[in-house]
Amino acid sequence: MLGEVGQGLAVAQSSSVLYGRPNLTALSLGLHEQAVALTARYLSQRPRYTGTLADLSVVRDRLGRMSSRLIMARILAYHAVDMLDHHLACDDELITAKALGHELAAETGNDAMQLHAANGLGTELQIGRIWRDMQTTYAPAGTGEIQRKRLADTLLHHHTDTTGPADEQPHLPWSVLHAARGQPSVPEPPLPV
């Protein structure tokens, strides 16, 4: 049994929030990194007249934007999981890392597919599979719309009148509940006999 009797929904939701979102964020980040690396390699090797596609300033601009998005997604992901590792309240950070990380990766995936042109659609290059895999990180643990609604709820909750009925308990963020549990104990290795 996980948790207390009657807490099944809370256990499932906390698992989704505390571990599902970081896992999906990491998956999205890995796909994002791969899309940027594959595209940079493709552009630097794809011949165009006397040079390569990478020689075109408009192509370099787009590749630079892809790199910038990747850096933003990496910072969001690392910041959120660092807070979680340190048992700090970080529901909003986890939500943002998952939702915005996917959006940034999807924009980069679209750019990568356009820069690969028809070659990205074939099975010879990995970029088509990477782009398709990116689509799978959107819905699990809440779509972008749901994530943004949760962020708005948090923001509005902090700015609403709290003079409601005394029996209404404020919702504690899952990461706060997680932090209250403290660090899990690690059993000592048995001593040799």
Side-chain angles (χ1 to χ4, degrees):
M1 180 172 66
L2 300 175
E4 305 281 328
V5 173
Q7 288 185 331
L9 179 60
V11 168
Q13 286 183 324
S14 71
S15 294
S16 172
V17 171
L18 295 175
Y19 305 108
R21 287 185 184 134
N23 286 337
L24 289 162
T25 300
L27 175 61
S28 187
L29 182 59
L31 293 167
H32 197 161
E33 289 172 342
Q34 190 68 4
V36 171
L38 290 171
T39 303
R41 184 173 354 137
Y42 175 80
L43 295 173
S44 64
Q45 295 173 354
R46 181 75 175 158
R48 184 182 183 277
Y49 303 120
T50 60
T52 65
L53 281 177
D55 295 330
L56 297 172
S57 61
V58 68
V59 169
R60 285 177 177 251
D61 177 68
R62 189 175 288 195
L63 189 59
R65 282 184 293 174
M66 292 168 66
S67 178
S68 178
R69 283 187 216 115
L70 174 59
I71 291 167
M72 287 189 291
R74 188 178 294 128
I75 290 169
L76 287 168
Y78 285 22
H79 176 66
V81 296
D82 184 60
M83 290 181 74
L84 183 63
D85 285 347
H86 285 91
H87 292 268
L88 300 172
C90 58
D91 288 35
D92 289 351
E93 286 80 2
L94 292 170
I95 286 169
T96 302
K98 190 266 184 190
L100 192 54
H102 167 79
E103 287 179 21
L104 293 167
E107 287 178 42
T108 290
N110 287 335
D111 279 348
M113 290 298 287
Q114 290 175 20
L115 289 168
H116 279 80
N119 291 327
L121 301 173
T123 57
E124 306 81 39
L125 301 178
Q126 294 179 23
I127 196 65
R129 181 184 55 79
I130 297 294
W131 182 81
R132 286 188 302 277
D133 287 350
M134 283 178 175
Q135 311 316 307
T136 66
T137 65
Y138 181 69
T143 63
E145 293 84 3
I146 294 298
Q147 304 300 337
R148 289 186 295 276
K149 179 190 174 301
R150 292 192 192 286
L151 287 171
D153 290 347
T154 300
L155 187 62
L156 293 171
H157 174 72
H158 290 302
H159 291 73
T160 55
D161 183 14
T162 56
T163 59
D167 61 338
E168 287 184 15
Q169 293 292 324
H171 168 71
L172 282 177
W174 294 110
S175 56
V176 171
L177 297 171
H178 175 65
R181 287 188 219 132
Q183 292 283 356
S185 62
V186 176
E188 294 290 325
L191 296 174
V193 187

